[in-house]
Amino acid sequence: MHSSTIISAIDTHTEGMPTRVITGGVGTIPGDTMAQRRTHFVEHLDGLRKLLVNEPRGHASMSGAILQPATTEDGHYGVLFIEVSGLLPMCGHGTIGVATALVEAGMVPVTEPVTEIRLDTPAGRVVATVAVSAGHADSVTLRNVPSYCDNLDNDVDVPGLGTVRYDMAYGGNFYAIVDPAELGLPFDRAHKDRILDAGLRIMQAINESCRPVHLEDERISGCKHVLFLDPASEPAHTRNAMAIHPGWFDRSPCGTGTSALLARQHARGLLSGDQVLRNDSFIDTTFYARAIETTTVGDYPAIVPTITGRAWLTGTANYLLDPADPFPEGFVF
């Protein structure tokens, strides 16, 4: 084999959404924190992300997680979350995929019936609690970063759509939460192209007129996700279509999106205490979420959410780069 790069991976999917867990071949990225490592990666190593998520090794909805040494004394691993849109501060479905891979590959000390995995992410510490039986990761509950509702009942003028009302919430990434019925969009996969187009227009308009910025970390900013909430949703049982930049849907219910939605439900008084939120995806898979603590982010009230979901291993691979390959960073079709 002629290859200038060999990247080892365990491929997984979380409730339908892929996570390519990179276990070797990258080396330690410079930085004392995962936020610093994320910045260094974006500025100097982004070609590696493109190689792994773009065609021909990936696809238009590919995402992954690059394992790193922990940046804290008690952490098991650090994680950088990659996808076609760039590097995320945090990824819920990706964390569930990572935790499942670490348990089933024996890369952390495994205890039954519960194994705790402490992960350092660019958004902060995330703890994954894995339910294990006979060495199998049955489900993962992750304690996510503090999540908050940035503001409610915003209006933005969107070309081709007119005035769009949305709530903005943060759950590790920023999410604009929109009622598709107000835009005349049926909540139906038969209309997915119209919904996705609307989502991309809304993202662009929000980022141009009122770009969200995290209250405590200005490196986390911008809206790359629009959560279209099924008008038939109930306060404790929701369904969403998650449109994501640059043009795809999350197949899972979206972990950080579910965290943001939970924060929004609390802010609107639709849920209280530790009531469980069931959130279904556009393909009818499910995450369960609840607030286990209240806290603040900046001066804003916030919750600490847990998200429970399942992931499955789909394969292992070594990804290569032949020096003569005409697509050293893959391509976008």
Side-chain angles (χ1 to χ4, degrees), residues 44 57 132 161-162 195 208 231 233 244 249 275 307 312 323-324:
H44 303 287
R57 296 166 190 81
V132 184
L161 297 176
I195 296 172
E208 290 177 352
S233 294
I244 305 176
F249 286 105
Q275 284 184 272
I307 305 294
W312 296 265

Side-chain angles (χ1 to χ4, degrees), residues 201-252:
R201 290 172 184 265
I202 292 167
M203 290 175 218
Q204 181 175 351
I206 289 173
N207 287 325
E208 290 177 352
S209 64
C210 190
R211 182 180 181 86
V213 179
H214 192 276
L215 295 171
E216 295 180 347
D217 188 348
E218 63 182 12
R219 293 170 297 187
I220 301 175
S221 66
C223 176
K224 293 185 177 180
H225 304 77
V226 174
L227 188 158
F228 289 97
L229 190 62
D230 184 351
S233 294
E234 300 174 359
H237 186 184
T238 55
R239 185 171 179 230
N240 80 91
M242 184 67 72
I244 305 176
H245 175 84
W248 52 286
F249 286 105
D250 199 326
R251 274 62 172 163
S252 81

Side-chain angles (χ1 to χ4, degrees), residues 225-291:
H225 304 77
V226 174
L227 188 158
F228 289 97
L229 190 62
D230 184 351
S233 294
E234 300 174 359
H237 186 184
T238 55
R239 185 171 179 230
N240 80 91
M242 184 67 72
I244 305 176
H245 175 84
W248 52 286
F249 286 105
D250 199 326
R251 274 62 172 163
S252 81
C254 187
T256 54
T258 300
S259 299
L261 179 59
L262 182 67
R264 180 261 196 185
Q265 298 296 79
H266 276 261
R268 284 199 170 275
L270 299 174
L271 292 176
S272 61
D274 63 352
Q275 284 184 272
V276 174
L277 171 67
R278 171 179 171 169
N279 187 30
D280 297 338
S281 73
F282 215 14
I283 64 168
D284 295 320
T285 54
T286 301
F287 283 163
Y288 295 92
R290 66 186 182 96

Side-chain angles (χ1 to χ4, degrees), residues 3 16 18 32 38 54 79 83 108 127 158 187 207 233 235 260 272 278 286:
S3 181
D32 294 331
R38 175 177 179 248
N54 287 344
V79 188
E83 64 176 32
V108 292
V127 177
V158 182
F187 191 90
N207 287 325
S233 294
S272 61
R278 171 179 171 169
T286 301

Side-chain angles (χ1 to χ4, degrees), residues 160-178:
L161 297 176
T163 301
V164 175
R165 176 159 293 187
Y166 68 95
D167 297 336
M168 180 62 69
Y170 175 83
N173 300 286
F174 281 106
Y175 292 84
I177 301 171
V178 174

